[in-house]
């Protein structure tokens, strides 16, 4: 009966029931104890997370490139600024001041070195991610530093870092080569391509549009934008709306983004569609590189063929020829027309193929490597997988020849000979392990 009385005392409207003082004291005591308990739990989690993050700094980096590349090394200070100013110093008449993103990359290293040799001011920027062996990037960094090029370690998505760099140096040009490369890796980590190739490009353009004066920008697109095109050779006027991979789609998106910033803000933009670049200090994820590694180790190499045993061929372009095209694009780039984010007139917008115009079957590439390495390859012929790779690339370079004076001079035999000489020197005598 007493229990029924207690139920009758509970009102139908929540929150209006006045509890007895003894019950209030018990509830208050319980709440304080509960609050104390969860406070200790929360502090404990912070303690654990802190030590976990501290220990992880000495462990292998996370495999997620989109998170990994956001990390930026500490910067600022007089010594840091002094190194940047020294690296950016122009030493030739009519020289230019260039920020090279992705400077520790394959193309970035060669372009930075060539600019410095001719007396231009060069500052590099690179996040040194581990998409492939970071020690190779560090070796390139050492090479550039010996030539007087300083590479700032940081991410192109770091707005504060970009502001500091432009506050220290009034760059006349930006050579934007930083990107997440590789066709096949997009199936494993698609977010890294969006982070670097789209978000990174937009962040850089956003900063450049607000700079005063705005720099002229040359950036790396890709022959991959031609996607499933069957018309060859590929010309800049051909359709590029059928990408075969996410990587290609992000590069195509980059070209559309460049058009937008040119149209709205007056940025001078030149896109370069590279065709299968190879040579010394190259990328370990490229076929010519890992074919060399595996052949020397006696491992089998996979050679793909298209439908009905069709030939898979690439327009292999030697790095020195690509560098000439990059410098030609920088030298012919007109000034941006905007100021402080406002367009004041039409601005230059261009796109060029940089290839070799001589597609070579991948099987022929292997034959050349066999001759240079004096090793018989263990060939495993298989069908071209549906991973974004295309069967054939072939560049029409007439526009680049006319506008940039671009003229490739290195055939595959000569270029591979130079690559093999570098490879054996760099990885030889058990000094390093090609990963």
């Amino acid at each position: 009966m007493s229990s029924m009385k207690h139920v009758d005392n509970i009102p139908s409207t929540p929150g209006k029931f006045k509890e007895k003082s003894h019950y209030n004291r018990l509830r208050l005591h319980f709440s304080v104890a509960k609050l104390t308990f969860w406070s200790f739990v929360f502090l404990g989690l912070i303690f654990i997370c802190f030590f976990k993050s501290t220990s992880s700094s000495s462990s292998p980096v996370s495999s997620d490139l989109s998170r990994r590349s956001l990390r930026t090394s500490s910067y600022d200070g007089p010594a840091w600024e002094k190194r940047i100013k020294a690296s950016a110093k122009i030493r030739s008449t009519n020289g230019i001041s260039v920020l090279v993103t992705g400077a520790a990359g394959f193309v970035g290293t060669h372009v930075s070195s060539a600019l410095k040799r001719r007396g231009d001011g060069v500052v590099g920027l690179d996040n040194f991610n581990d998409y492939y062996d970071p020690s190779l990037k560090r070796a390139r960094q050492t090479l550039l530093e010996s030539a007087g090029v300083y590479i700032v370690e940081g991410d192109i998505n770091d707005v504060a870092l970009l502001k500091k760099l432009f506050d220290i140096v009034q760059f006349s040009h930006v050579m934007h080569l930083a990107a997440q490369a590789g066709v096949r890796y997009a199936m494993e980590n698609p977010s890294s391509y969006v982070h670097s190739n789209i978000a990174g490009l937009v962040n850089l353009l956003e900063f450049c549009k607000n700079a005063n004066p705005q720099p002229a920008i040359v950036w790396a697109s890709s022959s991959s934008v031609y996607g499933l095109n069957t018309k060859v050779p590929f010309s800049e006027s051909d359709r590029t709306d059928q990408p075969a991979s996410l990587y290609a789609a992000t590069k195509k998106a980059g070209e559309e983004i460049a058009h937008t910033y040119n149209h709205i803000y007056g940025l001078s933009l030149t896109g370069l569609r590279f065709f299968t670049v190879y040579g010394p200090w190259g990328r370990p994820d490229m076929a010519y590189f890992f074919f060399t590694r595996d052949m020397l180790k006696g491992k089998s190499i996979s050679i793909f063929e298209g439908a009905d045993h069709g030939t898979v061929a690439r327009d292999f372009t030697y790095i020195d020829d690509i560098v000439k095209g990059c410098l030609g694009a920088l030298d012919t780039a007109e000034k941006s027309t905007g100021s402080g984010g406002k367009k004041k007139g039409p601005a230059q917008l261009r796109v060029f193929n940089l290839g070799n115009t001589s597609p070579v079957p991948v099987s022929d590439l292997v034959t050349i490597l066999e001759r240079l390495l004096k090793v018989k390859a263990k060939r495993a012929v298989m069908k071209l997988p549906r991973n974004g790779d295309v069967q054939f690339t072939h560049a029409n370079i007439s526009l680049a020849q006319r506008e940039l004076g671009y003229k490739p001079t290195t055939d595959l035999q000569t270029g591979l000979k130079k690559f093999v000489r570098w490879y054996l020197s760099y990885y030889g005598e058990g000094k390093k392990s090609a990963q």
Side-chain angles (χ1 to χ4, degrees):
M1 190 74 174
S2 61
S3 62
M4 289 296 293
K5 242 182 202 181
H6 177 69
V7 171
D8 288 342
N9 284 334
I10 299 176
S12 60
T13 307
K16 291 186 178 180
F17 177 62
K18 294 184 179 180
E19 301 168 311
K20 294 178 181 179
S21 61
H22 176 68
Y23 182 75
N24 281 337
R25 284 196 299 272
L26 287 174
R27 189 174 181 184
L28 178 62
H29 178 74
F30 177 74
S31 297
V32 171
K34 188 176 181 181
L35 179 62
T36 303
F37 171 76
W38 284 112
S39 296
F40 277 110
V41 170
F42 182 67
L43 289 171
L45 287 172
I46 292 176
F47 184 79
I48 292 169
C49 290
F50 173 78
F51 279 96
K52 185 177 180 181
S53 63
T54 303
S55 62
S56 67
S57 64
S58 59
S59 64
V61 192
S62 163
S63 62
D64 185 347
L65 274 163
S66 64
R67 290 198 300 267
R68 177 173 65 234
S69 57
L70 277 171
R71 300 180 310 142
T72 294
S73 296
S74 59
Y75 49 81
D76 211 350
W80 184 77
E81 292 187 11
K82 185 177 180 181
R83 294 191 71 180
I84 291 173
K85 289 177 180 177
S87 187
K89 187 174 182 179
I90 299 172
R91 301 182 183 278
S92 66
T93 307
N94 301 321
I96 59 177
S97 176
V98 190
L99 172 65
V100 180
T101 70
F106 175 32
V107 178
T109 297
H110 285 272
V111 169
S112 298
S113 179
L115 287 169
K116 196 66 177 178
R117 278 197 306 271
R118 70 178 199 175
D120 294 321
V122 186
V123 175
L125 175 64
D126 204 290
N127 65 8
F128 293 92
N129 68 45
D130 61 0
Y131 165 61
Y132 60 80
D133 183 11
S135 69
L136 179 57
K137 299 179 183 181
R138 293 298 180 184
R140 296 183 189 133
Q141 179 186 29
T142 300
L143 189 73
L144 286 178
E145 288 187 346
S146 67
V149 176
Y150 178 54
I151 300 181
V152 176
E153 185 169 355
D155 194 277
I156 54 173
N157 284 287
D158 188 337
V159 177
L161 175 57
L162 288 178
K163 184 178 186 306
K164 284 181 178 291
L165 292 176
F166 275 83
D167 284 345
I168 297 169
V169 181
Q170 194 175 86
F171 295 106
S172 60
H173 294 72
V174 172
M175 186 77 210
H176 179 48
L177 299 169
Q180 176 55 58
V183 168
R184 302 172 193 175
Y185 184 64
M187 298 180 73
E188 298 176 33
N189 190 0
S191 63
S192 65
Y193 291 78
V194 176
H195 172 79
S196 296
N197 302 359
I198 296 179
L201 175 63
V202 170
N203 187 64
L204 181 68
L205 295 181
E206 273 291 305
F207 192 87
C208 289
K209 79 165 194 200
N210 291 319
N212 193 8
Q214 295 173 332
I217 303 163
V218 177
W219 70 285
S221 183
S222 170
S223 61
S224 295
V225 299
Y226 291 110
L228 302 177
N229 268 6
T230 54
K231 171 190 167 293
V232 289
F234 300 145
S235 299
E236 291 87 348
S237 58
D238 291 345
R239 65 184 297 182
T240 54
D241 59 352
Q242 301 178 94
S245 66
L246 178 62
Y247 168 71
T250 61
K251 285 299 185 178
K252 169 61 177 175
E255 292 188 355
E256 300 303 321
I257 291 168
H259 178 276
T260 302
Y261 276 80
N262 169 269
H263 173 69
I264 299 176
Y265 303 111
L267 282 175
S268 170
L269 282 149
T270 301
L272 303 176
R273 294 172 179 171
F274 297 153
F275 280 72
T276 316
V277 190
Y278 74 100
W281 297 98
R283 279 176 25 213
D285 64 322
M286 299 291 285
Y288 74 94
F289 198 113
F290 60 74
F291 280 175
T292 299
R293 177 196 65 203
D294 291 346
M295 286 169 63
L296 287 172
K297 291 182 178 181
K299 293 183 178 180
S300 174
I301 61 173
S302 300
I303 301 176
F304 298 127
E305 61 180 18
D308 300 321
H309 306 289
T311 299
V312 172
R314 293 288 180 270
D315 198 345
F316 295 101
T317 314
Y318 189 63
I319 183 61
D320 288 359
D321 292 325
I322 288 292
V323 169
K324 291 173 188 174
C326 291
L327 268 57
L330 286 168
D331 291 341
T332 57
E334 297 175 0
K335 291 183 178 180
S336 294
T337 62
S339 178
K342 294 182 180 180
K343 182 178 180 179
K344 296 184 178 180
Q348 187 181 55
L349 179 66
R350 307 178 296 174
V351 63
F352 296 105
N353 287 339
L354 293 186
N356 196 46
T357 75
S358 302
V360 176
V362 174
S363 57
D364 290 0
L365 164 77
V366 175
T367 299
I368 295 172
L369 286 175
E370 285 178 322
R371 189 160 55 247
L372 293 170
L373 296 170
K374 297 179 176 59
V375 172
K376 186 68 176 176
K378 298 177 182 177
R379 307 183 187 213
V381 180
M382 56 187 63
K383 290 183 180 179
L384 188 68
R386 297 179 64 84
N387 59 7
D389 277 329
V390 295
Q391 186 172 337
F392 198 83
T393 62
H394 184 185
N396 179 333
I397 61 169
S398 57
L399 183 62
Q401 285 178 321
R402 184 170 66 251
E403 300 293 327
L404 308 180
Y406 175 69
K407 186 180 179 181
T409 58
T410 309
D411 60 66
L412 187 58
Q413 170 79 28
T414 303
L416 284 177
K417 185 176 182 179
K418 294 179 179 180
F419 165 73
V420 166
R421 186 185 303 126
W422 168 81
Y423 186 96
L424 295 176
S425 172
Y426 185 77
Y427 290 109
E429 300 174 9
K431 291 183 294 185
K432 301 179 182 70
S433 173
Q435 298 177 3

